[in-house]
Amino acid sequence: MLLFDAHLDLAMNALEWNRDLTRPLAEIRAREAHLRDRPDRGHGTVCFPELRRGGVRLVVATQIARVEHHAYSPVPGWASPAQAWAMTQAQRAWYQTQEDSGELLCITSRDSLDTFLARLDNPAPVPSDDAPHGSNPPATPGSDTPSSNAAPAPIGFILSLEGADSLIDLHHLERAWNYGLRVVGPAHYGPGRYANGTGTTEGFPPGGRELLREMDRLGCILDVTHLSDACFRQALDLFQGPVWASHHNCRALVPHQRQLDDAMIRELVRRDAVIGIALDAWMLVPGWERSKSTPQTAGLTLQHALDHLDHICQIAGNARHVGIGSDLDGAFGTEQTPQEVGSVADLPRLLDGLAARGYTPDDIQGVAHANFIRFLRNAWPTPAAPAQER
């Protein structure tokens, strides 16, 4: 079944972790097994071959570069907005190189989304070297590889900005929209230039309110992930456009401000949002201690992710408002994932768990991809056009 993953930090991994995501996962792990600069070295879970193997053919992929707010900030970042913007542009360039090589395809409108999905259903055959000129081998319906000579179809991605610190001013948001950005999460960890994020209590500064108005004008999707509680409430009051939570779990099961409480979930359901379940261990089980706990000592399994997913469904009264936002390449690897998850290709096991809990085939298809695709079609009722200069 087609899977939609609403949160992957592909460019960050390629540029800051120096991972060639076109290579097999075993090769990526072996190449960095001797490194100790990051806790997930040798334990990564995401690359293009694994995405394809698991049927994850449509993702939300990020640009991310925060700004440090003082010299001794506990959350690392760049020293200036200009430097952060430059980093996001390097990430943009990487996405473009992957498009040029046919690995990725940027989805920016309802038309481009529908065209991409139609291509997955009816892949174009590739001529063999010895075939007569103008002839093509027959395609196998529903397959990425209609013949042994076919190149794999690209992975579709929707471009998202995680944390808005890198926007030097609001004109830069319009520039980003024009090159394909469609989703903005104003905050990340700690205080931000436009919003306060995880670990803070304050609401939006004046610039953040202006950012929300500009996002509304352009037609951006608002990602409420990482917003402080005060910013979450203000955002839903101020922002009139489409809203989702790309990678969030439930505060009722794991008490932490990073999670959504039940009132927030109800409000998102009222806005017809979709919430992506994340697979980061500390968001799945209470009491996780970084660098101390392991999936084995914590007894962490996909059942915990299913508990969070089911909690949202019980509040909503249906399965239309939940999907997958794995964050599996978000600065952690198998040292911090459910025990059944050796790579992103294991995401279908989550769907098996839903079936075992009695979810219907339609519910399972919704979680797998249909809920987020429905959301995008509603958010993009007409083909996207370049924004008008003010």
Side-chain angles (χ1 to χ4, degrees):
M1 184 181 293
L2 167 68
L3 266 69
F4 184 113
D5 192 330
H7 190 82
L8 289 174
D9 296 305
L10 298 178
M12 182 189 79
N13 277 260
L15 299 186
E16 297 189 53
W17 269 247
N18 195 22
R19 289 171 170 164
D20 182 354
L21 300 183
T22 68
R23 307 304 303 162
L25 188 59
E27 180 181 317
I28 295 171
R29 288 174 173 175
R31 184 179 184 274
E32 61 186 39
H34 67 289
L35 299 176
R36 298 292 180 268
D37 58 323
R38 303 181 192 275
D40 62 324
R41 286 301 192 189
H43 302 286
T45 60
V46 177
C47 64
F48 297 156
E50 291 298 291
L51 286 166
R52 291 189 172 97
R53 187 167 73 88
V56 186
R57 306 312 307 270
L58 194 55
V59 305
V60 178
T62 66
Q63 295 173 291
I64 179 170
R66 60 171 293 108
V67 173
E68 291 180 344
H69 286 265
H70 53 77
Y72 303 102
S73 173
V75 184
W78 300 95
S80 71
Q83 289 166 272
W85 171 261
M87 186 66 215
T88 65
Q89 298 315 289
Q91 293 167 355
R92 172 195 171 197
W94 179 81
Y95 285 119
Q96 184 62 61
T97 64
Q98 302 311 306
E99 286 198 83
D100 293 344
S101 66
E103 293 282 0
L104 296 178
L105 180 67
C106 190
I107 308 296
T108 60
S109 67
R110 183 169 178 170
D111 275 2
S112 63
L113 174 64
D114 289 342
T115 299
F116 173 80
L117 294 172
R119 178 177 177 180
L120 289 183
D121 288 337
N122 300 284
V126 177
S128 63
D129 292 338
D130 56 355
H133 182 70
S135 68
N136 288 325
T140 302
S143 170
D144 284 338
T145 54
S147 80
S148 59
N149 300 303
I155 296 164
F157 75 100
I158 295 95
L159 188 60
S160 175
L161 182 64
E162 186 173 22
D165 282 4
S166 61
L167 298 173
I168 297 173
D169 56 40
L170 294 186
H171 181 65
H172 285 74
L173 176 61
E174 185 168 313
R175 290 174 61 179
W177 171 271
N178 286 333
Y179 67 62
L181 182 71
R182 291 296 179 266
V183 185
V184 177
H188 194 226
Y189 282 91
R193 296 180 60 230
Y194 294 96
N196 286 291
T198 300
T200 65
T201 58
E202 296 82 4
F204 280 99
R209 295 167 180 266
E210 294 176 10
L211 173 69
L212 293 176
R213 286 192 289 270
E214 183 68 353
M215 289 171 58
D216 255 333
R217 184 183 76 85
L218 292 169
C220 293
I221 295 165
L222 169 64
D223 187 353
V224 299
T225 305
H226 283 293
L227 288 175
S228 70
D229 288 3
C231 280
F232 179 94
R233 291 190 295 270
Q234 291 173 357
L236 293 191
D237 285 341
L238 296 169
F239 186 76
Q240 303 304 308
V243 177
W244 72 26
S246 64
H247 56 304
H248 251 311
N249 294 344
C250 304
R251 199 176 298 186
L253 302 181
V254 178
H256 193 282
Q257 183 258 345
R258 170 67 177 82
Q259 315 273 59
L260 295 169
D261 67 28
D262 289 359
M264 292 172 169
I265 294 169
R266 292 187 187 96
E267 190 63 23
L268 289 172
V269 169
R270 189 184 68 80
R271 291 287 289 263
D272 203 25
V274 181
I275 301 164
I277 295 298
L279 297 185
D280 195 342
W282 77 275
M283 296 174 62
L284 292 170
V285 291
W288 181 273
E289 295 183 78
R290 292 181 185 272
S291 303
K292 293 183 180 180
S293 301
T294 69
Q296 292 73 31
T297 61
L300 175 61
T301 72
L302 282 174
Q303 292 302 316
H304 293 96
L306 290 165
D307 289 343
H308 286 269
L309 191 155
D310 188 66
H311 186 79
I312 295 169
C313 293
Q314 297 306 318
I315 290 174
N318 56 61
R320 290 173 53 85
H321 299 280
V322 67
I324 299 169
S326 75
D327 198 20
L328 279 174
D329 55 1
F332 67 96
T334 54
E335 81 288 348
Q336 203 165 304
T337 63
Q339 294 176 60
E340 308 96 321
V341 179
S343 88
V344 71
D346 291 318
L347 285 180
R349 296 185 179 206
L350 196 62
L351 307 183
D352 296 339
L354 287 173
R357 291 193 179 203
Y359 280 74
T360 69
D362 284 348
D363 290 339
I364 294 168
Q365 181 170 301
V367 172
H369 63 266
N371 291 339
F372 272 115
I373 289 174
R374 182 191 72 248
F375 178 99
L376 288 170
R377 284 178 170 148
N378 291 336
W380 297 336
T382 56
Q388 298 297 314
E389 292 287 345
R390 287 171 293 173

